[in-house]
Every structure is written in C-alpha cells, then in structure tokens.
Amino acid sequence: MSHVLVSGANGFVGRALCPALLAAGHAVTGVVRRAGHISGGVSEWVDASIDFAGIDAQWPSSLKVDCVVHLAARVHVMRDDAADPDAAFHATNVEGTLRLARAARNHGARRFVFVSSVKAQAEEDNGRPLREDDEPAPEDAYGRSKLAAERALSAYSDESGLDVVIVRPPLVYGPEVRANFLRLMEGVAHRVPLPLGMVDSRRSMVYVGNLVDALMHCALDPLAARQTFNVADSEVLSVTELVRALMRHLQKSSLLLPVPPAWLRIAGLLTGRRAQVERLVGSLELDTTRIHTVLGWQPPFSTEKGLAETTRWYRSTH
C-alpha cells in the first residue's frame, strides 16, 4: 500500500481519482484550498495559501507520502481578465508547482506526477498525431505556463533526484464536467442549431475514468519513472461525430447545420473568436503509443461508455 498526496483533490479529476486510489487500497491525503467537498476516507489538508506559499514549513510532521499527484492549477479560460495572464499563470502553474515539488521531496516523497496538458505542446496536430517528443509550440498563457512547469520540474528532478512523471491529457470529460464540453451538451439538450455538421477534424479526448486509471499507473508503476506520457481515449471522434453521439445519448434531435469550416473560421475572425473556432475546426489527435508500450496501459473505458456516463449524469442533474 502507498500513501498518495493529491493536490486539487476536490476538483473535477481529483473527486474521481481519490476514491479510485482508496478502492485500490492506498492511503490518500487531499490538499485543498477550502474545506469540504472531498471524498470520504480521504484525509483532508486545507492549505489556504496562495500558490503553495509556505507549504514546506506547513507540512505536517506526521505526513509521510510516497507520491504526489499534482492536479491543482490555474486553469485555462477562453477570456482571461487578468492584467498579465502570463504572469498569473506562471505564478500558480510554475512557481506554485515547484514549491509543492520541493516540499514533497524535502518530506520524503519519491515521485511527483504532474498533470500538464496537451496545450503545453500545441493546439493542432499538423497532419499527424502529436508525439511526446515533438517540438512544443504552445499558443496561449496557459499552455506556456504548463510547458514552463514541465521544464522546471525536469530540471529540479535532475538536481534533487525526485522522480517526476509528466502526463499530458487533452480535453477531459465525464460526470460533473464543466466549461466547453458542458456547453456543448447544453446546446444539444436544448436543441440549439449547431453549425458543426461538416467539421471532420479529429480531436482526442479522455474520459475522466481513463485519465484516473492512467494517473494511478503513473503514480505507482516503477516503469513510469521520469517519463512523459500522452493520455487519451482509444477512439478519436470528429467534431461532427461527437455531436451526433451526444444527440444519441441525450435522445435529442438537434439541428446540425452543414456549415463549411472555412466559413466558421471567417466568422471567428469577424467576431474576435478565432481561437474558440479553431479549437472546434482544427485537428488535435494524440499519439499514445508511449504509455501503451512502457506501462502496458490501455484505457479501461471506451469513448461510448464515457459519453454514456457523462450524458447520464447530465440528464440526472438538468
């Protein structure tokens, strides 16, 4: 049995990861900013500091963990209202991450699993699935901060001996999902006409249950040491296929308009929403060969199963 510390334990992924670790027989401590909304059986550590300031000094003397899974982050938003988005993301996603990694190492942790993002590498795949060693070209402050954190952690790993594992998921979906995926489900559920009937670009996604399973392997498998892994579902749907699948699971006959992607791009330019449109019409497929080869990992859930569980949750709460 291992003792795993999970930062952001009451977030979307954390609320799925902690029960899975407990069910597998591991002890779990969750670091959260505010008390409550944490899985039963998880030891709660409330750290209200900004960006883990003082986390080393505040570390409980009795807390001994084998591994940290770092989920907490300043998350990507389409319209950031920060005066300096790069500085705000860097403060949390780079400096805060390093503070937690140093504290974990100082208090005996051997492994640090950093949940990064495909956005640390690119927004499009340029004609073939992205591999972990492709040259990174992040396009926004969030992606740049995640790449900077990866590089800073790698340097700290070389310096300190802390075993850092980096995981790059694409869009994560599942019960309790928020942001763009929830808005897409709402559009389908309310039969909003969607101009996505001709978008054949393929975009990797990962069901939260698959991501959780991969994170458990990365936290516990010795073969994961100092690796970087793309993690995604086995199936890759086009945007049009995704909308049709949501229509089927939600039992809604939404109007799917056959608008050419070029027209959508023009509309994005005219309305100042180029980035939002590009994330719909651009292709972003991940090559997940490395995690399959190194860890023998395969997603335990199909995309069909993931969408069924996600839409079942949506129907029960809306």
Side-chain angles (χ1 to χ4, degrees):
M1 182 183 78
S2 296
H3 192 156
V4 181
L5 180 74
V6 179
S7 74
N10 55 2
F12 172 43
V13 178
R15 288 195 301 273
L17 175 61
C18 290
L21 285 166
L22 290 170
H26 304 290
V28 183
T29 296
V31 183
V32 296
R33 291 285 301 277
R34 287 175 290 275
H37 305 291
I38 200 166
S39 303
V42 175
S43 298
E44 184 180 71
W45 175 10
V46 178
D47 173 36
S49 65
I50 303 299
D51 301 331
F52 296 105
I55 190 75
D56 195 5
Q58 296 165 15
W59 195 285
S61 59
S62 60
L63 180 59
K64 307 297 181 185
V65 302
D66 303 291
C67 175
V68 174
V69 178
H70 183 39
L71 296 167
R74 188 172 195 268
V75 299
H76 175 260
V77 293
M78 294 307 300
R79 293 185 179 275
D80 199 320
D81 58 4
D84 186 345
D86 276 285
F89 277 111
H90 191 275
T92 298
N93 295 349
V94 183
E95 295 172 14
T97 296
L98 275 177
R99 288 190 190 105
L100 181 59
R102 291 189 183 108
R105 175 69 180 84
N106 289 343
H107 292 275
R110 298 188 298 272
R111 178 168 290 184
F112 189 92
V113 179
F114 176 57
V115 182
S116 183
S117 168
V118 65
K119 290 179 178 295
Q121 194 166 28
E123 295 284 356
E124 293 190 43
D125 61 28
N126 293 320
R128 66 163 177 78
L130 286 174
R131 295 191 295 260
E132 291 87 348
D133 56 358
D134 285 337
E135 186 66 26
E139 296 184 12
D140 61 16
Y142 173 74
R144 288 189 290 272
S145 73
K146 285 292 193 178
L147 178 61
E150 289 183 11
R151 289 174 168 172
L153 284 171
S154 294
Y156 181 64
S157 176
D158 292 340
E159 166 197 328
S160 68
L162 179 66
D163 174 9
V164 172
V165 182
I166 294 168
V167 177
R168 290 180 183 154
L171 182 150
V172 185
Y173 67 99
E176 302 185 41
V177 69
R178 295 290 183 264
N180 291 339
F181 200 93
L182 176 59
R183 286 192 283 273
L184 182 59
M185 281 198 296
E186 289 172 338
V188 172
H190 292 94
R191 295 189 170 93
V192 175
L194 299 171
L196 303 174
M198 295 180 67
V199 182
D200 59 3
S201 59
R202 293 161 60 83
R203 299 189 69 87
S204 290
M205 306 185 300
V206 62
Y207 175 53
V208 68
N210 289 333
L211 177 57
V212 161
D213 192 74
L215 290 175
M216 290 176 64
H217 278 74
C218 290
L220 304 167
D221 192 331
L223 295 175
R226 303 196 178 194
Q227 292 279 352
T228 297
F229 296 118
N230 290 337
V231 175
D233 289 352
S234 294
E235 303 91 339
V236 184
L237 303 180
S238 72
V239 173
T240 300
E241 289 170 340
L242 172 59
V243 175
R244 293 191 185 280
L246 291 174
M247 290 167 59
R248 184 176 71 256
H249 284 290
L250 291 169
Q251 300 176 2
K252 300 292 183 180
S253 56
S254 299
L255 186 57
L256 196 53
L257 304 177
V259 178
W263 293 12
L264 294 175
R265 286 189 167 97
I266 292 171
L269 286 172
L270 295 176
T271 60
R273 295 177 175 270
R274 184 187 66 82
Q276 291 94 318
V277 170
E278 205 57 47
R279 288 177 175 87
L280 280 174
V281 302
S283 177
L284 183 57
E285 188 173 351
L286 302 189
D287 184 329
T288 56
T289 302
R290 180 179 291 179
I291 193 169
H292 301 327
T293 302
V294 175
L295 302 186
W297 180 80
Q298 295 292 335
F301 302 100
S302 67
T303 299
E304 183 72 10
K305 174 67 171 177
L307 292 176
E309 292 299 320
T310 307
T311 52
R312 184 178 296 114
W313 161 79
Y314 180 86
R315 292 197 308 271
S316 70
T317 56
H318 292 75

